[in-house]
Amino acid sequence: MITDNYTAANRRRYSLAESFHIDVPLMVGLLLTAALGLVILYSAGNQNEAIIYRQLTRLAVAFGIMIVIAQIPPQQLRFWTPWLFAIGIILLIAVLTFGEGKGATRWLDLGFVRFQPSEIIKITLPMVLAWYLADAPLPPKPSRVIVCIILIIVPTLLIAKQPDLGTSLVIASSGIFVMLLSGIRWRYIFSAMITAIAAAPALWYFMHDYQRQRVLTFLNPEQDLLGSGWHIVQSKIAIGSGGLYGKGWLNGTQSHLEFLPERSTDFIFAVFGEEFGLMGILVLLTLYLFIIARSLYISAQAQNTFGRLVGGSIAITFFFNIFVNIGMVTGLLPVVGLPLPLISYGGTSMVTLMIAFGILMSVHTHRKLLSQ
Amino acid sequence: MLRKLHIKDHSGEVRLFKQRAIVAIIIVILLMLGIISRLVYLQVFSHQHYSTLSQKNRLKIVPLPPTRGLIYDRNGLLLAKNIPSFSLELIPEQVKNIDDTLVRLNQLIPISDSDRKHFRRLVKQKRRFQSIPLRYRLTEEEVARFSVNRHLFKGVSIQARLIRYYPFGSTGVHTIGYVGRIDTRELQRIDTANYSATTHIGKLGIERSYEKDLHGQVGYQQEEVNAQDRTLRIINKTPPVAGKNLTLNIDIKLQSFADEALGDYRGSIVAIDPNNGEVLVFVSKPGYDPNPFVTGIDTKSYAALRNSPDKPLFNRAILGQYPPGSTVKPFIGLAGLDAGIANNSLFCPGWFELEGDDRRYRDWKKRGHGETDLDKAIVESCDVYFYELAQRLRIDKMYKFMSLFGFGKKTGIDILGELPGLFPSREWKRRKRHQAWFPGETLITGIGQGFTLTTPLQLASATATLARDGLHFRPSIVHSMQASNDSVPVLTPATRYKSVLLKNPQNWQKVKRSMMRVLHSPRGTARGSARGAPYKIAGKTGTAQVFGIAQDAEYNADELDKRLHDHSLFIGFAPFDKPTIAIAVIAENGGSGSHVAAPLARKVLDAYLLGKGL
């Protein structure tokens, strides 16, 4: 009955993927990007096979979790949403009280597992907003918009206090994306933007010294060559010296002579640009664009508001991460510690990301069951 | 929760979402175009500029290793130095076929399997453009042979580095220890910044105990390098601070002499200057050559050392815990005098019985010593006298008194890892063995058997304390430290422990005179050992039964028999009137103390006091 609408040929072709609730085009896009990530990580990690094995393990775990999430029907996810969000908020408060981490308190150690509660919020904030907004007709009334703003501001401030500027920025944005997609009137949007610009000096007042330093460095990197400006200058040299076609895989001198800091994690894009050049980057950006477009398409096809809003927010947040990371590495934006999705070495954000794509697949592949 | 009923315009909402999604994708594409134009700016229009920056201006910070401090003996002889050593190194990136190169190199310079394994491991850890050592310590001939054929091996070169060398080899190893490559466990302990240019770290002995002083402070230089990582110019430099030079109290010539004097015996000789606690001789035999450990000993040789029945890796002077046997008698005698119960004589029939117990505790002399006082009991080493004395002193009093001399406690010597030995007490037995103390155990404790265990260092330290009438110094190996080659050495001050105080100080002389008669009276157990000496020696022999070896005599009976022989012990000091050296000698399975350990001690005393044989 699921396959009623398909021809016999399609049935054979899609039956396996469909019985596991996998969206094949999205899956292919994700796998290709991750594979490209492994290739550049091998070079960035100085051909250390151990790093590759660890990253492969993480990818396997993350894809596994994605598939597990995809099996859960969206109604179920929607039912759990407020509870998951509440747990996330409680854990955020807990991490401020008992957390541990270098300089900033972001980690919560439960004995058997260590994680950042902000990762839970990354997923559940868009979900809780969608859950709330789906209850009433769209576009939302002003009173509902105010509730949404409160729902966004509380976790954002809690995370900014850790302090983790990059993550709080991503989380606030993902919430705003849900509101934008919900059809909130343009005039509200524009007035909010004007307020934000006016509030920027106040934000400066609340920033930590190192955060202010980053902004100053962004405005004039050459001034602080041996300090935080080093990152930006070196990564611009790496990318610029890559040229159109790059220096070739494993041949990036900037990266391999240790001029480039954090080259396996936040600055891996610079290694990519140095070794594969503009052409390589275009391939990578095309893959990313495909994933984003497919995700938006899936959201548009969703059969209810919750699915649409969550899916759309995931797609745009995914792009937002990419944009902020590349913007930072190319010197367009200040340095905020955000990894490049699917490429950077690291585990936590990868799992979060794949959970999000799991939700997208769930939204897409369960939709026939909903049709009346 | 009450759910309000809203009339939802389903298709209207879908339309609204689709509109917004289209706006979103347009913004995404615009921003991507923004990124791309930025990249075009960087990679196409500014490519020349950044290429030049990348090619030319590369600043690099290179850590500079500090030179490790040297170690001298008390007479200024070098015990540990840094010598240039030539190693064969290979840069993987520049070698086309590593396997083939290794095969061809092997025809010029022998490369063992373990070298090859070590090399492979390093290749995996290091970068491809880094030079990786393949063979250490090339001989001059090997250096020459390679140099002639150098043009055949691109990417292979010979490097000179400073490595640690111990000229006295096995003689000093248990004192000085050695350095070896830093392992993963040590990596977690050390300050990685300070060790960023250091490859070796002290593993044992003084090298380990004084690692902080010997290592020094790392330096840095900022270099401008080209794309091939070749240094073009040094921009600025913070020179490293060399480690401190150490001068030891050890007299290495005397130590070599003592080491040779022990001959084929396994054992230990420790000599201390009783006037300040300086350790003059610190021998544990057999030793082993530390030099292969510096460059990485191969598994086979290491296994041979580890599995040798002679246990050469074992530092007997501080880890060997032996029953002291009769060498404790002067101390127990002193305890008796101090308690006022050792002034009478008794009749020794050759055995001793506890009241209400049929068991006979035998004297080593079957016929007995006859009428015996404390002097005779020490000179002839009468066991029965000390059974009686121990019984009257009781175990707790003995324990308290012996602790004052450091029995059962670490001496606090400046070499890490020392063991405390053991002097039993009622409380110890209850705590550790969960048993009551038996009167018979008091008796055998009185003659240094039973639970009692001492290290050779402890015995020497206790003897030194006795020689100076209770003046108790901490044994020390390091005499002074010198921050650099032309600065003034800083002495490590002698540490004094609480002195042993007797109620009647004359009792010191009483016991010491008896110890002198052990060597200088016709009935003394070591009467042969002082013959012809121009100075007076005081001492005490000991013979300790060997415990703990299963008596399955069927397997290799000869070897087993030898290992079941008693340990031969001697403690002593000289010259009698103004002691300048206190000594403890243990020869494992040497038999009686009079025949082996005492003559050995005499040889070392002659060498120290008369310069004989040095």
Side-chain angles (χ1 to χ4, degrees), chain A residues 46-47 134-139 180-186 189 226 236-237 239-244 247 253-254 256-259 263 269 273 277-278 281-282 285 288-289 292-293 296 299-300 303 305 308-309 312 316 319 323 326 330-332, chain B residues 1 3-4 6-10 13-14 16-18 20-21 23-25 27-29 31-32 34-36 38-40 42-44 46-48 50-51 53-55 57-61 93 124-130 222 225-229:
Chain A
N46 289 311
Q47 293 144 61
D135 244 11
L138 294 180
L180 295 181
L181 289 169
S182 75
I184 188 169
R185 306 231 184 277
W186 289 111
I189 296 170
L226 288 172
K236 280 203 293 194
I237 294 177
I239 295 171
S241 66
L244 257 183
K247 295 177 185 169
T253 50
Q254 277 292 306
H256 289 279
L257 292 180
E258 276 189 274
F259 288 103
R263 59 187 181 282
F269 183 79
L278 186 58
I281 291 175
L282 288 179
L285 291 182
Y288 275 146
L289 190 61
I292 295 160
L296 280 174
S299 314
Q303 284 162 325
T305 314
R308 270 195 297 275
L309 292 182
I316 302 175
F319 171 73
F323 180 74
I326 298 180
T330 53
L332 280 176
Chain B
M1 190 174 146
R3 192 175 269 259
K4 278 182 250 166
H6 296 288
I7 301 155
K8 294 189 78 170
D9 174 9
H10 186 73
E13 283 187 12
V14 171
L16 185 61
F17 180 86
K18 281 186 177 165
R20 292 291 163 107
V23 171
I25 198 88
I27 292 174
V28 164
I29 288 171
L31 288 176
M32 277 216 177
I35 289 176
I36 289 168
R38 172 68 173 172
L39 288 166
V40 168
L42 287 176
Q43 299 193 295
V44 180
S46 311
H47 174 60
Q48 211 61 46
Y50 285 118
S51 265
L53 284 181
S54 151
Q55 288 299 319
N57 292 313
R58 298 156 187 276
L59 289 182
K60 204 175 152 186
I61 287 170
E93 200 178 50
K124 281 203 185 123
Q125 291 167 0
K126 303 244 177 159
R127 309 235 158 75
R128 290 187 58 74
F129 62 85
Q130 278 180 331
Q222 218 178 16
V225 293
N226 69 2
Q228 279 70 49
D229 201 25

Side-chain angles (χ1 to χ4, degrees), chain A residues 89-353:
Chain A
I89 294 289
I90 289 167
L91 289 177
L92 269 187
I93 293 165
V95 89
L96 279 176
T97 334
F98 322 107
E100 46 183 88
K102 284 188 238 160
T105 49
R106 298 172 186 180
W107 294 90
L108 198 65
D109 195 344
L110 293 184
F112 60 99
V113 69
R114 248 166 60 91
F115 68 102
Q116 300 185 356
S118 54
E119 297 296 325
I120 298 181
I121 298 295
K122 268 192 197 170
I123 305 266
T124 53
L125 177 66
M127 286 170 79
V128 85
L129 291 171
W131 167 81
Y132 176 71
L133 288 172
D135 244 11
L138 294 180
K141 289 185 294 188
S143 62
R144 294 200 146 242
V145 172
I146 287 167
V147 172
C148 285
I149 289 172
I150 291 168
L151 283 174
I152 294 171
I153 281 180
V154 169
T156 303
L157 286 183
L158 284 174
I159 292 162
K161 208 172 147 61
Q162 289 181 353
D164 188 349
L165 191 64
T167 309
S168 67
L169 201 69
V170 169
I171 283 170
S173 317
S174 68
I176 292 167
F177 297 148
V178 175
M179 296 180 65
L180 295 181
L181 289 169
S182 75
I184 188 169
R185 306 231 184 277
W186 289 111
R187 61 165 179 270
Y188 293 146
I189 296 170
F190 289 124
S191 48
M193 280 167 83
I194 290 161
T195 321
I197 290 165
L203 191 66
W204 175 262
Y205 180 75
F206 284 111
M207 275 193 206
H208 282 258
D209 278 345
Y210 83 96
Q211 291 165 340
R212 287 182 192 173
Q213 188 56 46
R214 277 182 184 174
V215 177
L216 286 178
T217 303
F218 158 66
L219 294 173
N220 188 5
E222 277 76 8
Q223 196 180 36
D224 184 21
L225 255 186
L226 288 172
S228 30
W230 181 260
H231 282 59
I232 298 174
V233 171
Q234 291 303 327
S235 94
K236 280 203 293 194
I237 294 177
I239 295 171
S241 66
L244 257 183
Y245 302 102
K247 295 177 185 169
W249 188 48
L250 304 180
N251 288 331
T253 50
Q254 277 292 306
S255 352
H256 289 279
L257 292 180
E258 276 189 274
F259 288 103
L260 191 64
E262 312 259 348
R263 59 187 181 282
S264 299
T265 51
D266 290 356
F267 280 79
I268 197 164
F269 183 79
V271 182
F272 196 97
E274 185 182 20
E275 298 193 351
F276 296 140
L278 186 58
M279 292 302 149
I281 291 175
L282 288 179
V283 171
L284 178 66
L285 291 182
T286 310
L287 276 173
Y288 275 146
L289 190 61
F290 173 75
I291 293 172
I292 295 160
R294 179 70 193 173
S295 302
L296 280 174
Y297 171 77
I298 286 176
S299 314
Q301 295 287 305
Q303 284 162 325
N304 57 45
T305 314
F306 177 77
R308 270 195 297 275
L309 292 182
V310 172
S313 157
I314 288 170
I316 302 175
T317 309
F318 178 70
F319 171 73
F320 184 75
N321 271 286
I322 295 165
F323 180 74
V324 170
N325 179 276
I326 298 180
M328 149 183 107
V329 174
T330 53
L332 280 176
L333 296 173
V335 176
V336 280
L338 275 189
L340 186 62
L342 291 167
I343 309 274
S344 283
Y345 181 64
T348 326
S349 57
M350 176 99 70
V351 170
T352 317
L353 185 69

Side-chain angles (χ1 to χ4, degrees), chain B residues 123-140:
Chain B
V123 169
K124 281 203 185 123
Q125 291 167 0
K126 303 244 177 159
R127 309 235 158 75
R128 290 187 58 74
F129 62 85
Q130 278 180 331
S131 192
I132 294 168
L134 176 60
R135 253 284 313 269
Y136 295 93
R137 299 185 70 181
L138 300 176
T139 62
E140 276 178 35

Side-chain angles (χ1 to χ4, degrees), chain B residues 305-427:
Chain B
L305 282 174
R306 203 189 45 212
N307 299 330
S308 161
D310 289 338
K311 296 188 177 169
L313 299 175
F314 183 58
N315 190 343
R316 290 169 162 80
I318 50 170
L319 301 175
Q321 304 192 97
Y322 302 89
S326 304
T327 56
V328 297
K329 284 176 182 169
F331 302 96
I332 302 283
L334 208 52
L337 285 173
D338 200 44
I341 53 172
N343 301 316
N344 306 332
S345 61
L346 57 71
F347 182 80
C348 162
W351 48 267
F352 183 85
E353 256 180 12
L354 280 169
E355 257 173 71
D357 186 355
D358 285 345
R359 190 177 158 192
R360 283 189 168 185
Y361 294 86
R362 300 194 173 279
D363 196 285
W364 63 271
K365 200 169 174 186
K366 252 189 178 162
R367 288 172 289 119
H369 296 272
E371 197 66 22
T372 308
D373 62 1
L374 178 63
D375 178 62
K376 188 177 172 184
I378 291 175
V379 173
E380 295 183 20
S381 200
C382 170
D383 291 339
V384 170
Y385 186 91
F386 282 96
Y387 289 146
E388 165 87 19
L389 191 57
Q391 194 202 7
R392 293 176 58 192
L393 270 169
R394 317 187 76 96
I395 183 63
D396 290 330
K397 204 161 212 169
M398 274 200 284
Y399 168 76
K400 225 171 134 190
F401 191 80
M402 297 299 274
S403 302
L404 298 175
F405 285 89
F407 285 96
K409 292 196 287 196
K410 292 185 180 181
T411 63
I413 192 172
D414 46 349
I415 291 186
L416 297 172
E418 177 193 12
L419 286 180
L422 173 66
F423 200 90
S425 65
R426 224 179 269 276
E427 200 265 325

Side-chain angles (χ1 to χ4, degrees), chain A residues 42 45-56, chain B residues 124:
Chain A
Y42 183 67
N46 289 311
Q47 293 144 61
N48 185 340
E49 281 160 30
I51 287 182
I52 296 298
Y53 290 135
R54 270 203 294 274
Q55 183 79 345
L56 258 178
Chain B
K124 281 203 185 123

